Amino acid sequence: MELEEYTLKDLLSRIVDNRGRTCPTAETGTALIATNCIKDDQLYPVFERVRWVDSETMETWFRGHPEPGDILFVLKGSPGRCCLVPDPINFCIAQDMLALRADETKVSQKFLFALLRSSIVRNAIDNLHVGTMIPHFKKGDFDQLTFQIPTSRKIQEWIGDQYFTLSDKIELNRRMNATLEGMAQALFKSWFVDFDPVIDNALAAGNPIPDELAARAEVRRKILVESTSIANVPAKAEFPNSFAITDELGHIPGGWKVGTIGDLCQRVLDKIKHKEEWASETLIDLSRMPSKSISLNDWGLGKQLTTSVTRFQKMDTLFGAIRPYFHKVGIAPTDGVTNVSVFVIRSNKELDRTFIATLCSMEAVVGFATNVSKGTKMPVVAWSDFASYQMALPPQKTREAFGNTIGPLFEGITVNIKQSQTLTKLRETLLPKLISGELR
């Protein structure tokens, strides 16, 4: 396979660069994404802590906007991190990133994307970027970033298509997991927040409904009339048919208690102080936990850590305690280690593991943790405060019914994670060899 040397500057036909000015923002409008929205493990940008711009700013302030298929390229913070622009586009970009379009007379767009995501280019960028506290890579250095690429257009397109196909499948698995997690959280809310099965049983028995649940009862009454499948859910047998009044939470299902997260689980502090004891362990820390996703990948070795760590076990719940509003909560896919920024939460009963993970991932719990956290620049929630979150505590059999019901959902999540891990390993192992011509 013949190769030809180019600089990154040589391979580009268009650069969208809106850096140098502060973009005015608004309360609503088009999303303005920042570099935190660009993830190496996701094909397209995610919306995390976005701001907004109005229509006038969209039309007059920007020098240009990305087009579908462009490559978003990060210059500051994590130089070289990139992803693709989807079609249709529902965002705009400003500082610290560029949108790149390949010169199709020299290189295909998908091949350029695969190239920029390869370890070959990432290592080269690491050698060129400046800054220690906040690393950055300059657009003016594009002519110093050199690499050799196949001269054959067919080979370029084949490599680019293979990389995109694998990445697209990984992205599909991620979206499927998000759907499955949403289903688990919706069921949790229905059972343990809205008390739908209790309302259904109370309606069937002719028992009174508390005033604060009257509106929900009307919704349930209509559903029960229209859907026999919902009316005959077997799990309803594990729920009471009446409500009781409490001082702390008002009305809760009869026979349930007012409890806390701390009643159901404990924080694990299995600390390891010597680096040689964890260098070969799987590391999952805040930087490796996606926002609003129970699904966590096996992220590899913990060689980056320089302080003591805490060991976790497979199926423990991991909760991001620093800046909890980032909503980083998930189930450990394997044994491993994390640092002090993450709570390792273990249920007191093994059958409560999915219940605990789903509970801790609910917006209400994350919002509570955010409200009780302390600090301004980097707020942290204390375990004692987090564990004090109050809820209507269902009996063990009811929690087990939830675990049994959503068990297949979590099995599907596990299958998707394992498949994505296999595809990722295949992609990251073969890509550099294909691009460099090692595999011919």
Side-chain angles (χ1 to χ4, degrees):
M1 181 170 67
E2 293 186 14
L3 302 174
E4 188 170 351
E5 185 170 281
Y6 289 96
T7 68
L8 178 56
K9 183 179 179 181
D10 294 333
L11 295 178
L12 300 177
S13 63
R14 177 175 178 264
I15 299 176
V16 176
D17 183 2
N18 291 313
R19 295 173 304 130
R21 298 180 297 163
T22 301
C23 180
T25 57
E27 293 296 322
T28 59
T30 302
L32 175 66
I33 66 171
T35 58
N36 63 289
C37 299
I38 312 302
K39 311 288 185 182
D40 280 331
D41 60 333
Q42 299 194 23
L43 192 55
Y44 303 106
V46 299
F47 280 23
E48 292 181 5
R49 308 189 313 279
V50 299
R51 294 172 294 166
W52 308 91
V53 298
D54 58 28
S55 57
E56 182 180 355
T57 301
M58 280 290 292
E59 295 173 2
T60 62
W61 187 87
F62 295 89
R63 300 188 186 99
H65 291 292
E67 296 178 358
D70 280 353
I71 300 168
L72 297 181
F73 185 92
V74 173
L75 294 175
K76 187 176 180 180
S78 299
R81 193 166 54 191
C82 57
C83 67
L84 290 178
V85 175
D87 187 7
I89 306 173
N90 56 352
F91 60 84
C92 56
I93 65 170
Q95 296 181 330
D96 301 331
M97 76 174 82
L98 308 171
L100 310 179
R101 173 66 61 169
D103 182 345
E104 292 284 350
T105 65
K106 300 171 183 175
V107 64
S108 75
Q109 183 76 359
K110 286 183 179 178
F111 178 85
L112 179 61
F113 178 58
L115 178 65
L116 292 176
R117 276 201 161 181
S118 70
S119 58
I120 297 171
V121 173
R122 296 303 294 272
N123 291 336
I125 290 173
D126 288 343
N127 292 330
L128 286 174
H129 75 61
V130 297
T132 53
M133 295 296 292
I134 305 179
H136 55 277
F137 183 68
K138 297 180 293 185
K139 185 179 72 170
D141 290 333
F142 279 10
D143 60 354
Q144 296 184 42
L145 187 60
T146 60
F147 28 72
Q148 293 184 325
I149 65 173
T151 56
S152 169
R153 182 71 177 199
K154 288 185 177 180
I155 292 177
Q156 287 183 18
E157 291 179 349
W158 185 84
I159 294 173
D161 286 343
Q162 295 305 308
Y163 183 85
F164 180 83
T165 299
L166 292 173
S167 299
D168 192 46
K169 176 55 180 172
I170 295 168
E171 178 71 11
L172 176 61
N173 285 345
R174 186 190 66 79
R175 292 198 300 268
M176 289 174 62
N177 278 358
T179 299
L180 295 174
E181 291 170 16
M183 293 169 64
Q185 290 168 336
L187 185 66
F188 187 97
K189 183 176 183 297
S190 172
W191 284 15
F192 305 116
V193 179
D194 296 332
F195 308 132
D196 288 341
V198 185
I199 293 175
D200 294 352
N201 289 343
L203 291 172
N207 291 333
I209 303 294
D211 290 343
E212 63 264 33
L213 297 174
R216 185 66 183 174
E218 283 303 311
V219 173
R220 296 304 301 174
R221 185 178 283 108
K222 293 179 181 179
I223 292 176
L224 291 171
V225 170
E226 297 171 0
S227 176
T228 56
S229 61
I230 294 178
N232 296 318
V233 174
K236 284 187 180 180
E238 301 298 338
F239 290 83
N241 62 6
S242 62
F243 291 87
I245 187 70
T246 66
D247 294 334
E248 300 91 342
L249 299 176
H251 284 93
I252 66 173
W256 292 20
K257 299 178 180 179
V258 175
T260 65
I261 286 180
D263 293 329
L264 295 172
C265 57
Q266 58 185 311
R267 182 188 182 188
V268 178
L269 288 171
D270 185 7
K271 290 190 175 181
I272 313 172
K273 294 184 178 180
H274 303 290
K275 186 173 182 179
E276 59 269 17
E277 297 182 41
W278 77 68
S280 60
E281 297 276 358
T282 296
L283 166 67
I284 300 179
D285 59 9
L286 277 181
S287 66
R288 299 160 187 250
M289 295 173 65
S291 295
K292 297 187 177 182
S293 176
I294 300 174
S295 309
L296 299 178
N297 290 318
D298 179 347
W299 287 103
L301 304 181
K303 295 181 179 179
Q304 301 176 33
L305 294 175
T306 57
T307 59
S308 63
V309 301
T310 297
R311 191 187 302 277
F312 58 76
Q313 296 177 2
K314 183 178 180 179
M315 294 301 291
D316 282 343
T317 296
L318 305 181
F319 186 96
I322 293 180
R323 292 183 287 197
Y325 50 80
F326 284 169
H327 202 134
K328 297 196 171 187
V329 190
I331 295 181
T334 183
D335 294 352
V337 295
T338 188
N339 56 23
V340 294
S341 63
V342 177
F343 290 150
V344 177
I345 302 173
R346 189 166 299 160
S347 56
N348 296 332
K349 295 184 180 295
E350 186 174 342
L351 292 174
D352 279 343
R353 293 180 300 185
T354 52
F355 180 89
I356 292 296
T358 311
L359 167 64
C360 292
S361 71
M362 298 298 290
E363 290 284 356
V365 175
V366 175
F368 172 81
T370 300
N371 290 335
V372 299
S373 60
K374 296 179 175 62
T376 51
K377 291 186 177 179
M378 193 173 291
V380 182
V381 59
W383 170 253
S384 58
D385 292 331
F386 178 79
S388 70
Y389 177 83
Q390 287 189 326
M391 59 178 293
L393 190 61
Q396 180 67 39
K397 285 188 176 180
T398 309
R399 303 198 301 269
E400 289 178 11
F402 175 77
N404 292 333
T405 302
I406 69 167
L409 300 184
F410 278 85
E411 289 175 7
I413 289 172
T414 300
V415 170
N416 289 338
I417 288 175
K418 289 182 178 179
Q419 184 183 68
S420 292
Q421 289 173 339
T422 300
L423 294 174
T424 299
K425 186 175 181 179
L426 175 65
R427 183 186 66 184
E428 305 309 326
T429 300
L430 294 181
L431 177 63
K433 296 180 180 181
L434 290 170
I435 289 176
S436 65
E438 186 177 337
L439 295 180
R440 299 173 184 268

